[in-house]
Amino acid sequence: MNEAQRQLMASLADRYETASFIKDDPSWFMHQVSDPLDQEMTAFLAMCLSYGSRQQFLPKIEQLMNMAQWHPYNWIASGTFDHALTPSPQCFYRLYTFADIHALLTALHDLLCSYGTLGRFAQTAAEEADKKAEDTTDVEAVLSAFATYFRQRGIKGLVPMPYTSACKRPCMFLRWMVRSGSPVDLGLWSDFIDKRHLFIPLDTHVMQTANKLHLDIGKTTGWRAVVALTRLMREVFPDDPARADYALYGYDIDTSTGKK
């Protein structure tokens, strides 16, 4: 990246990483609950459903939160969800049925029975990666641990795997959980996951924005492009590359409204 690009990214991040970003964003839901256990569970459920049109998936997240009476941690940990949500073949959202959502909640219930919290599960994965001293960051270990856990229980698509996909939604979820001092991100896991290792959440839309900026990250929205884009954004935010997510969002808004 040249100096002009770096300065542009920095200024856009300053402009768009504000509380107003939350409006009409899936992160809005985790800011409507106060207990950290509810916050991380709300964020996880929002992550699972945040694909497609916002006009379609935001009401589905709200529907799930209403079922949980906005206390999703206890709803799932206690098994109460089993009485509120019938595992039927009826469509809940796009490819996923009520049975798929019930299976997701059952897997989350089992995870909580074993680890107590989502954070403890993530911390265990990060600590195990550190002990192995392999060429894998804490973030990669946590992304893989979550995806593997649900895949082993027959749950496909709701929690994507890194390396074989862009893993956009889980990368977004970890941004929410790890980055502290932000009006948007909660930073609940900042004490055991290093934000320097976070990845940029990448989808087709972000890929198009990168192309507008003439950033060389390849032509397909796979994991290689995620790594390439994150590496470039470390030139702007060396200690916090995921902050560039706000800059890329802001650049797209500015160009679409004629500000740039």
Side-chain angles (χ1 to χ4, degrees):
M1 295 183 70
N2 58 44
E3 184 59 27
Q5 289 174 314
R6 287 192 287 268
Q7 289 183 6
L8 175 61
M9 290 294 98
S11 66
L12 287 171
D14 288 340
R15 185 187 310 168
Y16 284 96
E17 190 183 5
T18 65
S20 63
F21 179 91
I22 297 169
K23 185 179 183 294
D24 298 326
D25 187 74
S27 61
W28 179 86
F29 292 93
M30 68 191 189
H31 286 277
Q32 307 313 304
V33 294
S34 57
D35 189 312
L37 297 178
D38 281 329
Q39 288 180 322
E40 66 179 19
M41 186 59 71
T42 299
F44 190 86
L45 295 175
M47 175 273 291
C48 289
L49 294 174
S50 293
Y51 69 98
S53 165
R54 290 190 179 197
Q55 288 80 5
Q56 292 180 322
F57 71 68
L58 291 175
K60 289 301 178 180
I61 299 170
E62 186 172 10
Q63 181 180 350
L64 208 54
M65 291 296 292
N66 285 337
M67 288 182 185
Q69 297 184 345
W70 293 81
H71 292 287
Y73 176 84
N74 187 62
W75 187 59
I76 294 171
S78 67
T80 306
F81 72 90
D82 195 41
H83 306 291
L85 195 149
T86 302
S88 76
Q90 180 183 354
C91 177
F92 181 80
Y93 177 56
R94 296 188 68 168
L95 299 176
Y96 300 105
T97 65
F98 277 83
D100 294 323
I101 301 302
H102 187 275
L104 172 71
L105 299 178
T106 300
L108 282 168
H109 169 77
D110 293 345
L111 184 151
L112 296 180
C113 287
S114 297
Y115 293 90
T117 69
L118 289 172
R120 183 55 191 159
F121 176 85
Q123 186 172 8
T124 300
E127 290 173 348
E128 288 178 353
D130 185 57
K131 289 177 183 177
K132 292 178 182 178
E134 296 177 349
D135 189 24
T136 301
T137 66
D138 45 10
V139 169
E140 290 174 279
V142 171
L143 290 172
S144 294
F146 272 113
T148 300
Y149 178 87
F150 290 97
R151 185 179 61 181
Q152 289 175 343
R153 284 154 182 79
I155 299 166
K156 300 178 181 179
L158 286 166
V159 187
M161 174 72 77
Y163 310 123
T164 59
S165 72
C167 203
K168 184 243 179 163
R169 290 178 287 112
C171 287
M172 177 182 68
F173 170 69
L174 285 191
R175 196 201 81 205
W176 292 342
M177 292 296 98
V178 174
R179 292 188 70 249
S180 58
S182 169
V184 181
D185 303 320
L186 297 176
L188 298 177
W189 300 353
S190 61
D191 58 339
F192 60 86
I193 297 179
D194 193 335
K195 67 181 179 181
R196 293 178 299 176
H197 299 156
L198 290 172
F199 294 97
I200 304 293
L202 176 69
D203 58 12
T204 302
H205 198 66
V206 175
M207 190 82 176
Q208 291 171 347
T209 302
N211 289 334
K212 290 179 184 178
L213 285 162
H214 306 291
L215 301 178
D216 184 15
I217 62 171
K219 298 181 180 180
T220 59
T221 55
W223 188 250
R224 287 186 179 181
V226 174
V227 173
L229 180 59
T230 302
R231 184 181 297 117
L232 285 171
M233 292 304 154
R234 283 200 181 99
E235 295 180 19
V236 187
F237 308 107
D239 296 322
D240 187 13
R243 187 164 191 251
D245 196 20
Y246 297 98
L248 293 167
Y249 167 84
Y251 182 83
D252 183 61
I253 295 296
D254 281 6
T255 52
S256 65
T257 57
K259 291 184 180 179
K260 294 293 176 184

